[in-house]
Amino acid sequence: MAKNRRRGGGGTEAVVAAVDGGLAELIPDRERPRGWTLLIDGAPQSHVDLDDPAHLSFEYQRRLGHAVDLAAPAGRPLHVVHLGGGAFTLARYVAATRPRSTQQVVELDAALVQLVRERLPLDPGARIRVRSLDARAGLAKVPDGWADLVIADVFSGARTPAHLTSTEFLAEVRRAMKPGGCYAANIADGPPLTHLRAQIATVAAVFPELALAADPTVLRGRRFGNAVLLASDTALPVAEFTRRVAGDPFAGRVEHGRALADFTGGAGPVSDASAKPSPVPPPAVFR
């Protein structure tokens, strides 16, 4: 894995390395002495503060953090599966906020895993196991009913692979979850929101309880962006999730129940046979 370095903010050197998924860059945060942003082929993937792993900088990661916070009473250890590793931001967050949690991270890009381990090492005391596997193959290795929380944040070339968007995939997620567990997915889409609507319908075909959080402009189909979808076989803490999302630095909106069903606009669930990757983000998204 070839690496080179260039000067970043505050004199700290950025790291550039070829990984399996493209060109990875670790860019130092000018405001946080040990903060770093991971980019793959210019697309921001993760932000990590090694001094404060409970800090979540990206909007969608904060919303996934709310899912972690609401998955059980504060401080209670969880069994968590992370599909997609990036810089292990959410795994670090769980370890910091819920000590003694046991976590499995599934990240296909072995070279990226090596880079992150070298440059942004995990706490050796954290119970985090990293598997360099395809997300669906790694999920298949999770025992039945093991996970309190499954977080899906998988992108290849800034797109979620097709085989991670189907009812068959969601059935595997539910198999791995404990009764009352939660599934949280980061979904990227833009106008006319065809992919997002289909993903809501797909998840609804497997889980009876759903809630969606996103920037209002994304929900109105005015720009490309991220939405976080929560799902469970039991009632979700919608009121508290709504309060937290509304209180974020970039306030979001939560849809659930009939309003969320109406939002899907009659979209149908996606199967393995009909699945497609998420759409390509417009170039302006990362400028």
Side-chain angles (χ1 to χ4, degrees), residues 54-113:
H55 172 75
L56 299 176
S57 179
F58 289 1
E59 176 182 303
Y60 82 86
Q61 288 183 330
R62 284 195 297 273
R63 289 168 188 160
L64 291 172
H66 298 328
V68 173
D69 295 342
L70 298 174
R76 179 183 294 177
L78 296 176
H79 286 181
V80 184
V81 176
H82 302 265
L83 303 178
F88 312 141
T89 303
L90 268 298
R92 299 172 200 267
Y93 180 83
V94 172
T97 60
R98 295 182 177 276
R100 303 184 309 284
S101 291
T102 303
Q103 304 184 72
Q104 298 187 40
V105 178
V106 184
E107 171 56 60
L108 178 62
D109 195 327
L112 177 61
V113 170

Short mmCIF file of all heavy atoms in Angstrom, two decimals, residues 54-113:
data_model
loop_
_atom_site.label_atom_id
_atom_site.label_comp_id
_atom_site.label_asym_id
_atom_site.label_seq_id
_atom_site.Cartn_x
_atom_site.Cartn_y
_atom_site.Cartn_z
N ALA A 54 -16.38 10.31 21.29
CA ALA A 54 -17.83 10.53 21.37
C ALA A 54 -18.28 11.72 20.52
O ALA A 54 -19.47 11.97 20.39
CB ALA A 54 -18.26 10.74 22.82
N HIS A 55 -17.32 12.45 19.92
CA HIS A 55 -17.66 13.58 19.06
C HIS A 55 -17.99 13.05 17.66
O HIS A 55 -17.19 12.35 17.04
CB HIS A 55 -16.50 14.56 18.97
CG HIS A 55 -16.71 15.64 17.95
ND1 HIS A 55 -17.57 16.69 18.17
CD2 HIS A 55 -16.21 15.81 16.69
CE1 HIS A 55 -17.58 17.48 17.09
NE2 HIS A 55 -16.76 16.96 16.18
N LEU A 56 -19.17 13.39 17.18
CA LEU A 56 -19.60 13.00 15.83
C LEU A 56 -19.77 14.26 15.01
O LEU A 56 -20.67 15.07 15.27
CB LEU A 56 -20.91 12.20 15.89
CG LEU A 56 -20.83 10.88 16.68
CD1 LEU A 56 -22.20 10.23 16.77
CD2 LEU A 56 -19.82 9.92 16.06
N SER A 57 -18.94 14.43 14.00
CA SER A 57 -18.91 15.66 13.23
C SER A 57 -19.91 15.66 12.08
O SER A 57 -20.60 16.65 11.85
CB SER A 57 -17.50 15.89 12.67
OG SER A 57 -17.43 17.06 11.89
N PHE A 58 -20.01 14.53 11.37
CA PHE A 58 -20.88 14.48 10.20
C PHE A 58 -22.34 14.40 10.63
O PHE A 58 -22.69 13.69 11.58
CB PHE A 58 -20.55 13.28 9.32
CG PHE A 58 -19.25 13.38 8.58
CD1 PHE A 58 -18.41 14.47 8.72
CD2 PHE A 58 -18.85 12.36 7.72
CE1 PHE A 58 -17.21 14.56 8.03
CE2 PHE A 58 -17.66 12.42 7.03
CZ PHE A 58 -16.84 13.53 7.18
N GLU A 59 -23.19 15.07 9.88
CA GLU A 59 -24.62 15.13 10.18
C GLU A 59 -25.23 13.74 10.28
O GLU A 59 -25.94 13.41 11.25
CB GLU A 59 -25.29 15.95 9.08
CG GLU A 59 -26.78 16.07 9.12
CD GLU A 59 -27.28 16.87 7.92
OE1 GLU A 59 -26.85 18.02 7.72
OE2 GLU A 59 -28.11 16.31 7.17
N TYR A 60 -24.99 12.88 9.28
CA TYR A 60 -25.62 11.56 9.29
C TYR A 60 -25.05 10.69 10.41
O TYR A 60 -25.77 9.85 10.98
CB TYR A 60 -25.48 10.87 7.93
CG TYR A 60 -24.17 10.17 7.69
CD1 TYR A 60 -23.97 8.87 8.11
CD2 TYR A 60 -23.11 10.82 7.05
CE1 TYR A 60 -22.77 8.22 7.89
CE2 TYR A 60 -21.92 10.19 6.83
CZ TYR A 60 -21.74 8.89 7.25
OH TYR A 60 -20.54 8.26 7.05
N GLN A 61 -23.77 10.89 10.76
CA GLN A 61 -23.20 10.10 11.84
C GLN A 61 -23.80 10.48 13.19
O GLN A 61 -23.97 9.62 14.06
CB GLN A 61 -21.67 10.24 11.86
CG GLN A 61 -21.01 9.53 10.69
CD GLN A 61 -19.50 9.61 10.73
OE1 GLN A 61 -18.92 10.57 11.23
NE2 GLN A 61 -18.84 8.61 10.16
N ARG A 62 -24.13 11.76 13.37
CA ARG A 62 -24.82 12.15 14.60
C ARG A 62 -26.17 11.44 14.71
O ARG A 62 -26.58 11.02 15.79
CB ARG A 62 -25.01 13.66 14.67
CG ARG A 62 -23.75 14.42 15.03
CD ARG A 62 -24.06 15.85 15.44
NE ARG A 62 -24.65 16.60 14.34
CZ ARG A 62 -23.95 17.24 13.42
NH1 ARG A 62 -22.63 17.21 13.45
NH2 ARG A 62 -24.55 17.92 12.46
N ARG A 63 -26.86 11.30 13.58
CA ARG A 63 -28.17 10.65 13.62
C ARG A 63 -28.03 9.15 13.88
O ARG A 63 -28.85 8.55 14.58
CB ARG A 63 -28.92 10.94 12.32
CG ARG A 63 -29.34 12.39 12.30
CD ARG A 63 -29.84 12.91 10.98
NE ARG A 63 -30.03 14.37 11.10
CZ ARG A 63 -30.10 15.21 10.10
NH1 ARG A 63 -30.00 14.74 8.86
NH2 ARG A 63 -30.28 16.49 10.30
N LEU A 64 -26.98 8.54 13.35
CA LEU A 64 -26.69 7.16 13.72
C LEU A 64 -26.30 7.07 15.20
O LEU A 64 -26.64 6.10 15.88
CB LEU A 64 -25.58 6.60 12.84
CG LEU A 64 -25.94 6.39 11.36
CD1 LEU A 64 -24.69 6.01 10.57
CD2 LEU A 64 -27.01 5.32 11.20
N GLY A 65 -25.59 8.09 15.69
CA GLY A 65 -25.27 8.14 17.11
C GLY A 65 -26.51 8.20 17.98
O GLY A 65 -26.56 7.61 19.06
N HIS A 66 -27.54 8.92 17.53
CA HIS A 66 -28.81 8.93 18.27
C HIS A 66 -29.40 7.52 18.35
O HIS A 66 -29.96 7.14 19.39
CB HIS A 66 -29.82 9.86 17.59
CG HIS A 66 -29.40 11.30 17.52
ND1 HIS A 66 -28.62 11.90 18.48
CD2 HIS A 66 -29.67 12.26 16.59
CE1 HIS A 66 -28.41 13.17 18.15
NE2 HIS A 66 -29.04 13.41 17.02
N ALA A 67 -29.27 6.76 17.28
CA ALA A 67 -29.77 5.38 17.29
C ALA A 67 -29.02 4.56 18.34
O ALA A 67 -29.62 3.75 19.05
CB ALA A 67 -29.62 4.75 15.91
N VAL A 68 -27.71 4.77 18.44
CA VAL A 68 -26.92 4.09 19.47
C VAL A 68 -27.41 4.49 20.85
O VAL A 68 -27.63 3.64 21.74
CB VAL A 68 -25.42 4.42 19.32
CG1 VAL A 68 -24.62 3.86 20.49
CG2 VAL A 68 -24.88 3.90 17.99
N ASP A 69 -27.60 5.78 21.06
CA ASP A 69 -28.01 6.29 22.37
C ASP A 69 -29.37 5.74 22.80
O ASP A 69 -29.61 5.54 24.00
CB ASP A 69 -28.08 7.81 22.36
CG ASP A 69 -26.74 8.47 22.14
OD1 ASP A 69 -25.70 7.80 22.33
OD2 ASP A 69 -26.72 9.66 21.76
N LEU A 70 -30.26 5.54 21.83
CA LEU A 70 -31.64 5.15 22.14
C LEU A 70 -31.87 3.65 22.07
O LEU A 70 -32.99 3.19 22.32
CB LEU A 70 -32.59 5.88 21.19
CG LEU A 70 -32.57 7.41 21.29
CD1 LEU A 70 -33.45 8.02 20.21
CD2 LEU A 70 -33.03 7.87 22.68
N ALA A 71 -30.83 2.89 21.75
CA ALA A 71 -30.99 1.44 21.60
C ALA A 71 -31.20 0.73 22.93
O ALA A 71 -31.73 -0.39 22.97
CB ALA A 71 -29.78 0.85 20.88
N ALA A 72 -30.79 1.38 24.03
CA ALA A 72 -30.92 0.80 25.37
C ALA A 72 -30.68 1.92 26.37
O ALA A 72 -30.19 2.99 26.00
CB ALA A 72 -29.90 -0.33 25.57
N PRO A 73 -31.00 1.70 27.64
CA PRO A 73 -30.70 2.73 28.65
C PRO A 73 -29.23 3.13 28.62
O PRO A 73 -28.36 2.34 28.27
CB PRO A 73 -31.07 2.04 29.96
CG PRO A 73 -32.14 1.06 29.58
CD PRO A 73 -31.75 0.57 28.22
N ALA A 74 -28.97 4.38 28.96
CA ALA A 74 -27.62 4.95 28.88
C ALA A 74 -26.60 4.06 29.59
O ALA A 74 -26.83 3.61 30.72
CB ALA A 74 -27.60 6.35 29.47
N GLY A 75 -25.47 3.84 28.92
CA GLY A 75 -24.36 3.10 29.52
C GLY A 75 -24.46 1.60 29.41
O GLY A 75 -23.46 0.91 29.63
N ARG A 76 -25.61 1.06 29.06
CA ARG A 76 -25.74 -0.39 28.98
C ARG A 76 -24.93 -0.91 27.79
O ARG A 76 -25.06 -0.41 26.68
CB ARG A 76 -27.20 -0.81 28.83
CG ARG A 76 -27.37 -2.34 28.72
CD ARG A 76 -28.81 -2.72 28.49
NE ARG A 76 -29.64 -2.40 29.65
CZ ARG A 76 -30.96 -2.59 29.70
NH1 ARG A 76 -31.59 -3.09 28.64
NH2 ARG A 76 -31.63 -2.28 30.78
N PRO A 77 -24.10 -1.94 27.99
CA PRO A 77 -23.34 -2.50 26.86
C PRO A 77 -24.27 -3.10 25.81
O PRO A 77 -25.34 -3.61 26.12
CB PRO A 77 -22.48 -3.58 27.52
CG PRO A 77 -22.44 -3.23 28.97
CD PRO A 77 -23.75 -2.59 29.27
N LEU A 78 -23.84 -3.02 24.56
CA LEU A 78 -24.61 -3.54 23.44
C LEU A 78 -23.78 -4.51 22.62
O LEU A 78 -22.54 -4.46 22.63
CB LEU A 78 -25.04 -2.39 22.51
CG LEU A 78 -25.98 -1.32 23.06
CD1 LEU A 78 -26.20 -0.24 22.01
CD2 LEU A 78 -27.31 -1.93 23.48
N HIS A 79 -24.46 -5.37 21.89
CA HIS A 79 -23.86 -6.15 20.81
C HIS A 79 -24.19 -5.41 19.53
O HIS A 79 -25.37 -5.26 19.18
CB HIS A 79 -24.44 -7.56 20.76
CG HIS A 79 -23.95 -8.46 21.85
ND1 HIS A 79 -24.34 -9.77 21.97
CD2 HIS A 79 -23.08 -8.24 22.86
CE1 HIS A 79 -23.74 -10.32 23.01
NE2 HIS A 79 -22.97 -9.40 23.57
N VAL A 80 -23.17 -4.94 18.81
CA VAL A 80 -23.39 -4.10 17.63
C VAL A 80 -22.64 -4.68 16.43
O VAL A 80 -21.47 -5.07 16.55
CB VAL A 80 -22.91 -2.65 17.88
CG1 VAL A 80 -23.25 -1.77 16.67
CG2 VAL A 80 -23.54 -2.07 19.13
N VAL A 81 -23.32 -4.71 15.29
CA VAL A 81 -22.70 -5.07 14.02
C VAL A 81 -22.65 -3.82 13.15
O VAL A 81 -23.67 -3.15 12.95
CB VAL A 81 -23.50 -6.17 13.29
CG1 VAL A 81 -22.89 -6.45 11.91
CG2 VAL A 81 -23.54 -7.45 14.12
N HIS A 82 -21.47 -3.49 12.65
CA HIS A 82 -21.28 -2.36 11.75
C HIS A 82 -20.98 -2.90 10.36
O HIS A 82 -19.94 -3.54 10.16
CB HIS A 82 -20.10 -1.48 12.20
CG HIS A 82 -20.23 -0.94 13.57
ND1 HIS A 82 -20.73 0.31 13.84
CD2 HIS A 82 -19.91 -1.48 14.79
CE1 HIS A 82 -20.71 0.54 15.14
NE2 HIS A 82 -20.21 -0.54 15.73
N LEU A 83 -21.86 -2.67 9.42
CA LEU A 83 -21.62 -3.05 8.03
C LEU A 83 -21.06 -1.82 7.33
O LEU A 83 -21.75 -0.84 7.10
CB LEU A 83 -22.93 -3.51 7.38
CG LEU A 83 -23.63 -4.69 8.09
CD1 LEU A 83 -24.93 -5.04 7.38
CD2 LEU A 83 -22.71 -5.91 8.18
N GLY A 84 -19.78 -1.88 7.01
CA GLY A 84 -19.04 -0.72 6.54
C GLY A 84 -18.24 -0.16 7.70
O GLY A 84 -18.80 0.14 8.77
N GLY A 85 -16.94 -0.03 7.51
CA GLY A 85 -16.08 0.39 8.62
C GLY A 85 -15.63 1.83 8.53
O GLY A 85 -15.66 2.56 9.51
N GLY A 86 -15.16 2.24 7.33
CA GLY A 86 -14.59 3.58 7.22
C GLY A 86 -13.45 3.73 8.21
O GLY A 86 -12.53 2.90 8.27
N ALA A 87 -13.51 4.78 9.01
CA ALA A 87 -12.50 5.00 10.04
C ALA A 87 -12.98 4.50 11.41
O ALA A 87 -12.44 4.89 12.44
CB ALA A 87 -12.14 6.48 10.12
N PHE A 88 -14.01 3.65 11.42
CA PHE A 88 -14.56 3.06 12.64
C PHE A 88 -15.16 4.10 13.59
O PHE A 88 -15.15 3.94 14.80
CB PHE A 88 -13.51 2.23 13.40
CG PHE A 88 -12.73 1.27 12.57
CD1 PHE A 88 -11.38 1.08 12.80
CD2 PHE A 88 -13.33 0.54 11.56
CE1 PHE A 88 -10.64 0.18 12.03
CE2 PHE A 88 -12.61 -0.35 10.78
CZ PHE A 88 -11.26 -0.53 11.02
N THR A 89 -15.72 5.17 13.03
CA THR A 89 -16.22 6.26 13.85
C THR A 89 -17.32 5.81 14.80
O THR A 89 -17.27 6.11 16.01
CB THR A 89 -16.78 7.38 12.95
OG1 THR A 89 -15.75 7.81 12.07
CG2 THR A 89 -17.25 8.57 13.77
N LEU A 90 -18.31 5.09 14.30
CA LEU A 90 -19.42 4.68 15.16
C LEU A 90 -19.00 3.59 16.14
O LEU A 90 -19.51 3.54 17.27
CB LEU A 90 -20.60 4.22 14.31
CG LEU A 90 -21.63 5.30 13.94
CD1 LEU A 90 -22.30 5.87 15.19
CD2 LEU A 90 -21.05 6.41 13.12
N ALA A 91 -18.08 2.72 15.74
CA ALA A 91 -17.58 1.71 16.68
C ALA A 91 -16.84 2.38 17.85
O ALA A 91 -16.98 1.96 19.01
CB ALA A 91 -16.66 0.73 15.96
N ARG A 92 -16.07 3.42 17.55
CA ARG A 92 -15.39 4.17 18.61
C ARG A 92 -16.42 4.86 19.51
O ARG A 92 -16.24 4.94 20.74
CB ARG A 92 -14.45 5.21 18.00
CG ARG A 92 -13.34 4.65 17.12
CD ARG A 92 -12.59 5.79 16.42
NE ARG A 92 -11.86 5.35 15.25
CZ ARG A 92 -10.58 4.98 15.27
NH1 ARG A 92 -9.91 4.99 16.40
NH2 ARG A 92 -9.97 4.62 14.15
N TYR A 93 -17.48 5.39 18.90
CA TYR A 93 -18.52 6.07 19.67
C TYR A 93 -19.20 5.10 20.64
O TYR A 93 -19.40 5.42 21.81
CB TYR A 93 -19.54 6.67 18.70
CG TYR A 93 -20.67 7.40 19.39
CD1 TYR A 93 -20.51 8.73 19.78
CD2 TYR A 93 -21.89 6.79 19.64
CE1 TYR A 93 -21.54 9.41 20.42
CE2 TYR A 93 -22.92 7.46 20.27
CZ TYR A 93 -22.74 8.77 20.65
OH TYR A 93 -23.76 9.44 21.29
N VAL A 94 -19.55 3.92 20.14
CA VAL A 94 -20.17 2.92 21.01
C VAL A 94 -19.23 2.55 22.16
O VAL A 94 -19.65 2.47 23.33
CB VAL A 94 -20.56 1.66 20.20
CG1 VAL A 94 -21.03 0.55 21.14
CG2 VAL A 94 -21.64 1.99 19.19
N ALA A 95 -17.95 2.32 21.84
CA ALA A 95 -16.99 1.94 22.88
C ALA A 95 -16.85 3.03 23.94
O ALA A 95 -16.67 2.74 25.13
CB ALA A 95 -15.64 1.62 22.25
N ALA A 96 -16.91 4.30 23.53
CA ALA A 96 -16.75 5.42 24.46
C ALA A 96 -17.99 5.65 25.30
O ALA A 96 -17.89 5.99 26.49
CB ALA A 96 -16.42 6.70 23.68
N THR A 97 -19.16 5.48 24.71
CA THR A 97 -20.40 5.79 25.43
C THR A 97 -21.03 4.58 26.10
O THR A 97 -21.85 4.74 27.02
CB THR A 97 -21.44 6.41 24.47
OG1 THR A 97 -21.74 5.48 23.41
CG2 THR A 97 -20.90 7.71 23.86
N ARG A 98 -20.65 3.40 25.67
CA ARG A 98 -21.19 2.16 26.24
C ARG A 98 -20.06 1.16 26.47
O ARG A 98 -19.89 0.20 25.71
CB ARG A 98 -22.26 1.56 25.31
CG ARG A 98 -23.50 2.44 25.16
CD ARG A 98 -24.54 1.80 24.28
NE ARG A 98 -25.75 2.58 24.18
CZ ARG A 98 -26.77 2.55 25.05
NH1 ARG A 98 -26.69 1.75 26.11
NH2 ARG A 98 -27.83 3.30 24.88
N PRO A 99 -19.22 1.42 27.47
CA PRO A 99 -18.09 0.51 27.75
C PRO A 99 -18.58 -0.93 27.93
O PRO A 99 -19.69 -1.17 28.37
CB PRO A 99 -17.50 1.08 29.04
CG PRO A 99 -17.94 2.52 29.07
CD PRO A 99 -19.29 2.54 28.42
N ARG A 100 -17.70 -1.84 27.57
CA ARG A 100 -17.94 -3.29 27.64
C ARG A 100 -18.87 -3.79 26.55
O ARG A 100 -19.26 -4.96 26.56
CB ARG A 100 -18.45 -3.73 29.02
CG ARG A 100 -17.53 -3.34 30.17
CD ARG A 100 -18.02 -3.87 31.50
NE ARG A 100 -19.43 -3.54 31.76
CZ ARG A 100 -19.88 -2.34 32.13
NH1 ARG A 100 -19.02 -1.34 32.30
NH2 ARG A 100 -21.16 -2.14 32.35
N SER A 101 -19.21 -2.93 25.60
CA SER A 101 -19.96 -3.40 24.44
C SER A 101 -19.09 -4.33 23.60
O SER A 101 -17.86 -4.20 23.58
CB SER A 101 -20.42 -2.22 23.58
OG SER A 101 -21.41 -1.46 24.25
N THR A 102 -19.72 -5.24 22.90
CA THR A 102 -19.03 -6.16 21.99
C THR A 102 -19.46 -5.83 20.57
O THR A 102 -20.66 -5.79 20.28
CB THR A 102 -19.37 -7.62 22.32
OG1 THR A 102 -19.03 -7.88 23.69
CG2 THR A 102 -18.59 -8.57 21.42
N GLN A 103 -18.46 -5.58 19.70
CA GLN A 103 -18.79 -5.09 18.37
C GLN A 103 -18.08 -5.87 17.28
O GLN A 103 -16.94 -6.30 17.45
CB GLN A 103 -18.42 -3.60 18.25
CG GLN A 103 -19.07 -2.72 19.31
CD GLN A 103 -18.75 -1.26 19.07
OE1 GLN A 103 -19.25 -0.64 18.12
NE2 GLN A 103 -17.91 -0.69 19.92
N GLN A 104 -18.78 -6.02 16.17
CA GLN A 104 -18.20 -6.61 14.97
C GLN A 104 -18.30 -5.59 13.84
O GLN A 104 -19.38 -5.08 13.56
CB GLN A 104 -18.94 -7.89 14.58
CG GLN A 104 -18.88 -8.99 15.62
CD GLN A 104 -19.50 -10.29 15.12
OE1 GLN A 104 -19.31 -10.67 13.96
NE2 GLN A 104 -20.21 -10.98 15.99
N VAL A 105 -17.16 -5.29 13.22
CA VAL A 105 -17.11 -4.37 12.08
C VAL A 105 -16.78 -5.19 10.84
O VAL A 105 -15.82 -5.96 10.82
CB VAL A 105 -16.04 -3.28 12.29
CG1 VAL A 105 -15.96 -2.37 11.06
CG2 VAL A 105 -16.32 -2.48 13.54
N VAL A 106 -17.58 -5.03 9.78
CA VAL A 106 -17.36 -5.72 8.52
C VAL A 106 -17.00 -4.68 7.47
O VAL A 106 -17.81 -3.83 7.12
CB VAL A 106 -18.60 -6.52 8.09
CG1 VAL A 106 -18.29 -7.32 6.82
CG2 VAL A 106 -19.09 -7.44 9.20
N GLU A 107 -15.76 -4.73 7.00
CA GLU A 107 -15.25 -3.77 6.02
C GLU A 107 -14.49 -4.52 4.95
O GLU A 107 -13.48 -5.16 5.23
CB GLU A 107 -14.36 -2.74 6.69
CG GLU A 107 -13.59 -1.82 5.75
CD GLU A 107 -14.49 -1.06 4.78
OE1 GLU A 107 -15.36 -0.31 5.25
OE2 GLU A 107 -14.32 -1.25 3.56
N LEU A 108 -14.99 -4.45 3.72
CA LEU A 108 -14.40 -5.22 2.62
C LEU A 108 -12.98 -4.79 2.29
O LEU A 108 -12.13 -5.61 1.93
CB LEU A 108 -15.28 -5.08 1.37
CG LEU A 108 -14.82 -5.77 0.10
CD1 LEU A 108 -14.73 -7.29 0.29
CD2 LEU A 108 -15.76 -5.44 -1.06
N ASP A 109 -12.68 -3.50 2.41
CA ASP A 109 -11.40 -2.94 1.96
C ASP A 109 -10.31 -3.22 3.00
O ASP A 109 -10.11 -2.45 3.95
CB ASP A 109 -11.56 -1.44 1.73
CG ASP A 109 -10.41 -0.84 0.94
OD1 ASP A 109 -9.27 -1.32 1.09
OD2 ASP A 109 -10.65 0.11 0.17
N ALA A 110 -9.58 -4.31 2.79
CA ALA A 110 -8.55 -4.72 3.75
C ALA A 110 -7.42 -3.69 3.85
O ALA A 110 -6.87 -3.46 4.93
CB ALA A 110 -7.98 -6.08 3.37
N ALA A 111 -7.06 -3.07 2.72
CA ALA A 111 -6.00 -2.05 2.75
C ALA A 111 -6.44 -0.83 3.53
O ALA A 111 -5.64 -0.20 4.25
CB ALA A 111 -5.62 -1.66 1.33
N LEU A 112 -7.71 -0.46 3.44
CA LEU A 112 -8.23 0.66 4.23
C LEU A 112 -8.20 0.32 5.71
O LEU A 112 -7.82 1.15 6.55
CB LEU A 112 -9.65 0.99 3.79
CG LEU A 112 -10.36 2.09 4.58
CD1 LEU A 112 -9.61 3.41 4.48
CD2 LEU A 112 -11.80 2.24 4.11
N VAL A 113 -8.59 -0.89 6.06
CA VAL A 113 -8.54 -1.33 7.46
C VAL A 113 -7.13 -1.20 7.99
O VAL A 113 -6.90 -0.70 9.10
CB VAL A 113 -9.06 -2.77 7.60
CG1 VAL A 113 -8.77 -3.32 8.99
CG2 VAL A 113 -10.56 -2.84 7.31
#
